Amino acid sequence: MADQTNTATGVVGRLGPPPRKALGSSAIAAEQAYRRRSGLPELTEEDIAALKAGEPMPWERGGAVSAAASAPATPAPAAPAAVAPPAPTAAAQPAAAGISAEVAAMMAGGRKWSRSSIAAEQARRKRSNLPPLTDAEVAALLGEAAPAATPAAPAAATSAAPAAAAPAAPAARPPAAAAIPPPPIAREGTSTRYVGTPAVGTSKAAAAGGVAAVGPENTEVDKRRRHLVWAAVAAFLTAWLLAFFRFFLPRTLFEPSTVFKIGYPTDYGLGVNEKWLQAYRIWVDRTPDRLFVIYARCTHLGCTPDWKAAENKFKCPCHGSGYDSEGINFEGPAPRPMDRANITLAPDGQIVVDTAHLYSWPKGQPSHFDDAGAFLPV
């Protein structure tokens, strides 16, 4: 519905002429928002109360009475004189408020200006090296500035028709309602700094376009969740960093020493002794004339044979290789006798064994079992 405006009685806006039905808060809020965008006077408290009750607004009641009284009578010639002054008043307002003629022409065109359209106009002026819009011009285009020449309308009507001023007084809008100025508009901060600059379209220009930039509440639960996530990320990165540095460190395999003592020669009797089999993988074998150490490793595939005391032989459980009591092979796939470890006497009289130095009897070659160090004479 088109706006219905009357400078003597007020502005109907999009409400329509009375009689009206009772309006809710949402409909009244929509009308207030429309009036702000269009630069029209906002509804007063009395107007809102009347609209909620479904009654004519205060200024409409006076206008209705005046219209009813003047309907059967001859039309008064003073009425056009009272309505005519608003046109020169609207044209005189830009000059009085320091608004340029170009902006006055924009306002007279009837276009509805928003913050985004003003930002585009500011950008165009900057590209064209034109002076930017002033705060007063921006406020006038947005309809946020109070009409400066409105109070002059009754004076002009009084000077033009002094005789008609008296009967028109009851139909005029209450001065208290017309004098309520709109809330002051702050022209500082983000909304002014980023309008028409290259920052338009970025996050900082959101406030300039009227977009709320308030995020969710930073509650204690959210803080604990963030701390937990960051702790997990830090632990993950720390573990990977330690693994990265561990890659450059040598991997050392610690094995028991190959040189060790096994006691005195008198500790061993004739035959095979299995005392050190688990600790050093050796058998101590003593014959009537010598003492030697057999390394417990099958010469076939490296298994550890078992000592069969009842059969007086070594038997490999893997593939059946057999050795006599001195480690000489006689059956199975073993190609040669088992090796013997180096054996010497320490200064304290104990036997010292070195399994890193072995004596062998290769197949088809001379034996090394009689070399010095392969046995101890007893």
Side-chain angles (χ1 to χ4, degrees):
M1 178 184 294
D3 297 341
Q4 300 183 19
T5 307
N6 191 311
T7 55
T9 59
V11 178
V12 176
R14 292 188 175 180
L15 297 174
R20 307 185 189 88
K21 295 181 180 180
L23 300 181
S25 300
S26 58
I28 294 175
E31 174 64 18
Q32 287 282 47
Y34 166 73
R35 288 172 177 249
R36 293 192 193 100
R37 293 194 305 269
S38 305
L40 301 176
E42 298 183 14
L43 295 172
T44 63
E45 296 295 335
E46 294 81 359
D47 296 342
I48 294 175
L51 291 174
K52 287 184 177 180
E55 301 174 356
M57 290 181 280
W59 57 269
E60 289 179 322
R61 296 168 192 167
V65 172
S66 177
S70 59
T74 305
V83 179
T89 300
Q93 180 182 351
I99 300 175
S100 64
E102 183 181 358
V103 176
M106 294 179 183
M107 296 173 59
R111 175 184 175 184
K112 298 300 185 290
W113 289 82
S114 62
R115 294 185 181 276
S116 58
S117 58
I118 290 178
E121 176 64 19
Q122 290 281 45
R124 183 190 69 80
R125 287 171 171 263
K126 186 172 183 180
R127 291 194 304 269
S128 304
N129 295 324
L130 298 175
L133 297 174
T134 62
D135 291 347
E137 293 173 341
V138 171
L141 290 174
L142 290 175
E144 297 172 350
T150 302
T158 304
S159 61
R173 189 171 183 178
I180 298 177
I185 303 302
R187 286 296 159 191
E188 296 180 358
T190 306
S191 60
T192 302
R193 186 162 56 252
Y194 289 98
V195 170
T197 67
V200 171
T202 64
S203 59
K204 288 186 177 181
V211 180
V214 180
E217 244 182 86
N218 191 18
T219 61
E220 193 64 29
V221 175
D222 294 336
K223 292 180 181 178
R224 286 200 296 268
R225 287 175 179 172
R226 285 196 295 270
H227 292 166
L228 178 62
V229 170
W230 281 114
V233 172
F236 177 79
L237 295 178
T238 303
W240 271 103
L241 185 63
L242 293 177
F244 174 76
F245 283 110
R246 179 64 181 85
F247 176 78
F248 296 97
L249 299 178
R251 299 177 182 271
T252 305
L253 181 63
F254 296 96
E255 295 181 348
S257 176
T258 58
V259 180
F260 48 88
K261 293 180 179 181
I262 60 173
Y264 299 93
T266 56
D267 295 340
Y268 301 96
L270 293 175
V272 177
N273 190 303
E274 298 183 275
K275 179 180 179 180
W276 307 102
L277 180 62
Q278 297 297 328
Y280 299 110
R281 199 181 181 183
I282 61 170
W283 291 294
V284 181
D285 196 346
R286 181 168 181 173
T287 60
D289 60 340
R290 63 178 61 185
L291 187 148
F292 54 90
V293 173
I294 301 175
Y295 191 64
R297 182 177 61 188
C298 180
T299 57
H300 177 219
L301 293 177
C303 302
T304 301
D306 298 326
W307 166 244
K308 305 292 185 181
E311 303 177 20
N312 196 31
K313 69 177 180 179
F314 297 101
K315 189 68 174 178
C316 180
C318 299
H319 303 93
S321 297
Y323 305 86
D324 62 14
S325 60
E326 295 186 5
I328 307 299
N329 62 305
F330 67 89
E331 64 178 352
R336 58 185 179 83
M338 287 187 287
D339 299 328
R340 297 181 182 181
N342 179 270
I343 183 171
T344 57
L345 284 177
D348 59 356
Q350 294 193 56
I351 301 172
V352 179
V353 179
D354 183 7
T355 56
H357 186 188
L358 300 177
Y359 298 90
S360 61
W361 186 354
K363 184 178 181 179
Q365 297 183 18
S367 170
H368 297 282
F369 291 163
D370 295 328
D371 295 353
F375 66 94
L376 288 178
V378 292

